[in-house]
Amino acid sequence: MQFLSNHWWKLLGVMILYYVVIYGFLMEVPALSILNETIRNLFFHVALWFAMFILLIVSVIYSIKYLKSSSMKADVKASEFATVGIVFGLLGVATGAVWAKFTWGDWWVNDPKLNATTIALLIYLAYFVLRASIEDEYQKGRISAVYNIFAFAAAIPLIFILPRLTDSLHPGSGGNPGFSAYDLDNNLRKVFYPAIVGWTLLGVWFASLRIRTKSIQMIVDEHHSNE
Amino acid sequence: MTQEIWNLVKKEILIEWRMKYAISGMMLYLLSSIFLGYITFSLGRVQVSATTWNVLFWMIMLFVATNSIAKSFIQESKERLLYYYTITNPQSIIISKILFNCLLMLFLVFGGFLIYIALLGNPVDDIGLFCLTLILGSIGFSTSFTMISSIASKASNSGTLMAVLGFPLIIPMLLLLIKISKNAIDGLDRSASLDEITTLSAIIIIAISTSILLFPYLWRSN
């Protein structure tokens, strides 16, 4: 029982993702113009984005915690959640490129939302470059935490500004069927919302595994340096 | 606190006046990069369109800003930083640095604009609005890059980091600036740019307040 009460969420995440993959591919979907069957990508592309944002917000929260407490644990958590968030971001780009190829005819288009994503990825890649270039553990933690928070605050306007400046091919603008058009269909919603939860839980699982290996590594290193 | 900030800004200006590092070096940087733009465009005998004119101008300003603001923390000696710790508080340091960089950028941006129109012509229709963009641009660049400079100065390869950390963050600001200045070049009605000006001011306020909040965690870490 101990096992179940500690790990139920991992099981839940996997079950949800089974449901998303199986039911998402087999269910009836509304035949919308342009999108057609590719609308099933909603459960992967869009849901992965949402999961990425949740993971990155968690990372920022741990950065704030680190500044308050200076505990190495918070720093490890912040960096690992950011890593997994970036992996999800790259997966989101990959699934988005496939979707773009089938609906817009090209793997990559000059679209404000795509550009915003690229910038967000650049910001986080810079975060890892910054971490790599500082040796002292505590200094690394503090400086990268400051950058993480500063970048997050500066990147928020990005999401609101870029799409307003130019016309987007993304759903909801430029003559494409909007999000409300999917929302009318309750069947899609039944898979989409669980998909967000499923991907987020999977991400948390990934991150927790990486955090555990890092923590063990830190203890081992400490033993070695004490000997 | 106000007195302290004022004294620190005065000290920065005094040091700058005595060494003349940033002003003379950056003026030369400006002159040569603008001349480079002029000579390459005239070699190809291309008529510079208003959009190209505008984008090139802001690109040059972006590089000038990175290079001139980078020095504000990277070139501070360790001993002087130690001295600051004993006599003042972090908020005054960051605010005074931002203010000084702001003055420096205002000088460089307006100087650069004069050189730029002398060499590449002046397509601007609404000079008043364009000057407002220049002022907002100076404030925006100096706030974001001052904080980035203080972060980059703590790491080993600070020169590269300055660009790597700063450029993605500055993009929203740069896009808004280019949009407003394009409106000024086209002489659109000023109310058309009001939305962008408000957003830009909001970004600047966010950048200033996060800098003031976060700098205390940063300044003693070396």
Coordinates of all heavy atoms in Angstrom, one line a residue, chain B residues 23-58:
Chain B
I23 N 32.5 56.9 -24.0 CA 32.0 57.9 -25.0 C 32.8 57.9 -26.3 O 32.3 57.7 -27.4 CB 32.1 59.3 -24.3 CG1 31.1 59.4 -23.2 CG2 31.8 60.4 -25.4 CD1 29.7 59.4 -23.6
S24 N 34.2 58.0 -26.1 CA 35.0 58.1 -27.3 C 35.0 56.7 -28.1 O 34.8 56.7 -29.3 CB 36.4 58.5 -27.0 OG 36.9 57.7 -26.0
G25 N 35.2 55.7 -27.3 CA 35.2 54.3 -28.0 C 33.9 54.0 -28.7 O 33.9 53.6 -29.8
M26 N 32.8 54.3 -28.0 CA 31.5 53.9 -28.6 C 31.2 54.9 -29.7 O 30.5 54.5 -30.7 CB 30.4 53.9 -27.5 CG 30.5 52.8 -26.5 SD 31.2 51.2 -27.2 CE 29.9 50.7 -28.2
M27 N 31.5 56.1 -29.6 CA 31.3 57.1 -30.7 C 32.0 56.6 -32.0 O 31.4 56.6 -33.1 CB 31.7 58.5 -30.4 CG 30.7 59.3 -29.6 SD 29.0 59.1 -30.1 CE 28.7 60.5 -31.1
L28 N 33.2 56.1 -31.8 CA 34.0 55.6 -32.9 C 33.3 54.3 -33.5 O 33.2 54.1 -34.7 CB 35.4 55.3 -32.5 CG 36.4 55.4 -33.6 CD1 36.4 56.8 -34.2 CD2 37.8 55.1 -33.0
Y29 N 32.9 53.5 -32.6 CA 32.2 52.2 -32.9 C 31.0 52.6 -33.8 O 30.7 52.0 -34.9 CB 31.8 51.5 -31.6 CG 31.2 50.2 -31.8 CD1 31.9 49.0 -31.5 CD2 29.9 50.0 -32.2 CE1 31.4 47.8 -31.6 CE2 29.3 48.7 -32.3 CZ 30.1 47.6 -32.0 OH 29.5 46.4 -32.1
L30 N 30.2 53.5 -33.3 CA 29.0 54.0 -34.0 C 29.4 54.5 -35.4 O 28.8 54.1 -36.4 CB 28.4 55.2 -33.3 CG 27.2 55.0 -32.5 CD1 26.8 56.3 -31.8 CD2 26.1 54.5 -33.3
L31 N 30.4 55.4 -35.5 CA 30.8 56.0 -36.7 C 31.2 54.9 -37.7 O 30.8 54.9 -38.9 CB 31.9 57.0 -36.5 CG 32.3 57.9 -37.6 CD1 31.1 58.9 -37.9 CD2 33.5 58.7 -37.3
S32 N 32.0 54.0 -37.3 CA 32.5 53.0 -38.2 C 31.4 52.0 -38.7 O 31.4 51.7 -39.8 CB 33.7 52.2 -37.7 OG 33.6 52.1 -36.3
S33 N 30.5 51.7 -37.7 CA 29.5 50.7 -38.2 C 28.5 51.4 -39.1 O 28.0 50.8 -40.1 CB 28.8 50.1 -37.0 OG 28.4 51.0 -36.1
I34 N 28.2 52.7 -38.8 CA 27.3 53.4 -39.7 C 27.9 53.6 -41.1 O 27.3 53.4 -42.2 CB 26.8 54.7 -39.1 CG1 25.9 54.5 -37.9 CG2 26.0 55.5 -40.1 CD1 25.6 55.7 -37.1
F35 N 29.2 53.9 -41.0 CA 29.9 54.2 -42.3 C 30.0 52.9 -43.1 O 29.9 52.9 -44.3 CB 31.4 54.7 -42.0 CG 32.1 55.1 -43.3 CD1 31.7 56.3 -43.9 CD2 33.1 54.4 -43.8 CE1 32.3 56.7 -45.0 CE2 33.7 54.8 -44.9 CZ 33.3 56.0 -45.6
L36 N 30.2 51.7 -42.4 CA 30.1 50.4 -43.0 C 28.8 50.2 -43.8 O 28.8 49.8 -44.9 CB 30.4 49.4 -42.0 CG 31.0 48.0 -42.4 CD1 32.4 48.3 -42.9 CD2 30.9 47.0 -41.3
G37 N 27.7 50.5 -43.1 CA 26.4 50.4 -43.7 C 26.3 51.3 -44.9 O 25.9 50.9 -46.0
Y38 N 26.8 52.5 -44.8 CA 26.7 53.5 -45.9 C 27.5 53.0 -47.1 O 27.0 53.0 -48.2 CB 27.2 54.8 -45.4 CG 27.6 55.8 -46.5 CD1 26.6 56.4 -47.2 CD2 28.9 56.1 -46.7 CE1 26.9 57.3 -48.2 CE2 29.2 57.0 -47.7 CZ 28.2 57.6 -48.5 OH 28.6 58.5 -49.4
I39 N 28.7 52.5 -46.8 CA 29.6 52.2 -47.9 C 29.1 50.9 -48.6 O 29.2 50.8 -49.8 CB 31.1 52.1 -47.5 CG1 32.1 52.3 -48.6 CG2 31.4 50.8 -46.9 CD1 32.8 53.6 -48.4
T40 N 28.6 49.9 -47.8 CA 28.2 48.7 -48.5 C 26.9 49.0 -49.3 O 26.7 48.4 -50.4 CB 27.9 47.6 -47.5 OG1 27.4 48.2 -46.3 CG2 29.2 46.9 -47.1
F41 N 26.0 49.8 -48.8 CA 24.8 50.1 -49.6 C 25.2 50.9 -50.8 O 24.6 50.6 -51.9 CB 23.8 50.9 -48.7 CG 22.9 50.0 -47.9 CD1 22.9 50.1 -46.5 CD2 22.2 49.0 -48.5 CE1 22.1 49.3 -45.8 CE2 21.4 48.1 -47.8 CZ 21.3 48.3 -46.4
S42 N 26.1 51.8 -50.7 CA 26.4 52.7 -51.9 C 27.2 51.9 -52.9 O 27.1 52.2 -54.1 CB 27.1 53.9 -51.5 OG 28.4 53.6 -51.0
L43 N 27.9 50.9 -52.5 CA 28.7 50.0 -53.4 C 27.7 49.3 -54.3 O 27.9 49.2 -55.5 CB 29.6 49.0 -52.7 CG 31.0 49.4 -52.5 CD1 31.7 48.2 -51.8 CD2 31.7 49.7 -53.8
G44 N 26.7 48.7 -53.7 CA 25.7 48.0 -54.5 C 24.8 48.9 -55.3 O 23.9 48.4 -56.0
R45 N 24.9 50.2 -55.1 CA 24.0 51.2 -55.7 C 22.5 50.8 -55.4 O 21.7 50.9 -56.3 CB 24.2 51.3 -57.2 CG 25.7 51.6 -57.5 CD 25.8 52.5 -58.8 NE 27.2 52.7 -59.0 CZ 28.0 53.6 -58.4 NH1 27.4 54.3 -57.4 NH2 29.2 53.8 -58.7
V46 N 22.3 50.4 -54.2 CA 20.9 50.1 -53.8 C 20.2 51.3 -53.2 O 20.8 52.0 -52.4 CB 20.8 48.9 -52.8 CG1 19.5 48.2 -52.9 CG2 22.0 48.0 -53.0
Q47 N 19.0 51.5 -53.6 CA 18.2 52.5 -52.9 C 17.7 51.9 -51.6 O 17.1 50.8 -51.6 CB 17.0 52.9 -53.8 CG 16.1 54.0 -53.2 CD 16.9 55.3 -53.2 OE1 17.7 55.6 -54.2 NE2 16.8 56.1 -52.1
V48 N 18.1 52.5 -50.5 CA 17.7 51.9 -49.2 C 16.3 52.2 -48.9 O 15.9 53.4 -48.9 CB 18.6 52.5 -48.0 CG1 18.2 51.9 -46.7 CG2 20.1 52.4 -48.3
S49 N 15.5 51.2 -48.7 CA 14.0 51.4 -48.5 C 13.9 51.8 -47.0 O 14.8 51.6 -46.2 CB 13.3 50.1 -48.7 OG 13.5 49.2 -47.7
A50 N 12.7 52.3 -46.7 CA 12.4 52.8 -45.3 C 12.6 51.7 -44.3 O 13.1 51.9 -43.2 CB 11.1 53.5 -45.2
T51 N 12.1 50.5 -44.7 CA 12.1 49.4 -43.8 C 13.6 49.0 -43.5 O 14.0 48.8 -42.3 CB 11.4 48.2 -44.3 OG1 10.2 48.6 -44.9 CG2 11.2 47.1 -43.3
T52 N 14.4 48.9 -44.5 CA 15.8 48.5 -44.3 C 16.5 49.6 -43.5 O 17.2 49.3 -42.6 CB 16.5 48.5 -45.7 OG1 15.6 47.9 -46.6 CG2 17.8 47.7 -45.6
W53 N 16.2 50.9 -43.8 CA 16.8 52.0 -43.1 C 16.6 51.8 -41.6 O 17.5 51.9 -40.7 CB 16.2 53.3 -43.6 CG 16.8 54.5 -43.1 CD1 17.8 55.3 -43.6 CD2 16.3 55.2 -41.9 NE1 18.0 56.4 -42.9 CE2 17.2 56.4 -41.8 CE3 15.4 55.0 -40.9 CZ2 17.0 57.3 -40.8 CZ3 15.3 55.9 -39.9 CH2 16.1 57.0 -39.8
N54 N 15.3 51.5 -41.3 CA 14.8 51.4 -39.9 C 15.5 50.2 -39.2 O 16.0 50.4 -38.1 CB 13.3 51.3 -40.0 CG 12.7 51.4 -38.6 OD1 13.2 52.0 -37.7 ND2 11.5 50.9 -38.5
V55 N 15.4 49.1 -39.8 CA 16.0 47.9 -39.2 C 17.5 48.0 -39.0 O 18.0 47.7 -37.9 CB 15.6 46.6 -40.0 CG1 16.3 45.4 -39.5 CG2 14.1 46.4 -40.0
L56 N 18.2 48.5 -40.0 CA 19.6 48.7 -39.9 C 19.9 49.6 -38.7 O 20.8 49.3 -37.9 CB 20.2 49.2 -41.2 CG 21.7 49.4 -41.2 CD1 22.4 48.1 -41.0 CD2 22.2 50.1 -42.4
F57 N 19.2 50.7 -38.6 CA 19.4 51.6 -37.5 C 19.3 51.0 -36.1 O 20.2 51.1 -35.3 CB 18.4 52.8 -37.6 CG 18.6 53.8 -36.5 CD1 19.6 54.7 -36.4 CD2 17.6 53.8 -35.4 CE1 19.8 55.6 -35.4 CE2 17.8 54.7 -34.4 CZ 18.8 55.6 -34.3
W58 N 18.2 50.2 -36.0 CA 18.0 49.6 -34.6 C 19.0 48.5 -34.4 O 19.4 48.2 -33.2 CB 16.6 49.1 -34.5 CG 15.7 50.3 -34.2 CD1 14.8 50.8 -35.0 CD2 15.7 51.1 -33.0 NE1 14.2 51.9 -34.5 CE2 14.7 52.1 -33.2 CE3 16.4 51.1 -31.8 CZ2 14.4 53.1 -32.3 CZ3 16.1 52.1 -30.9 CH2 15.1 53.1 -31.1

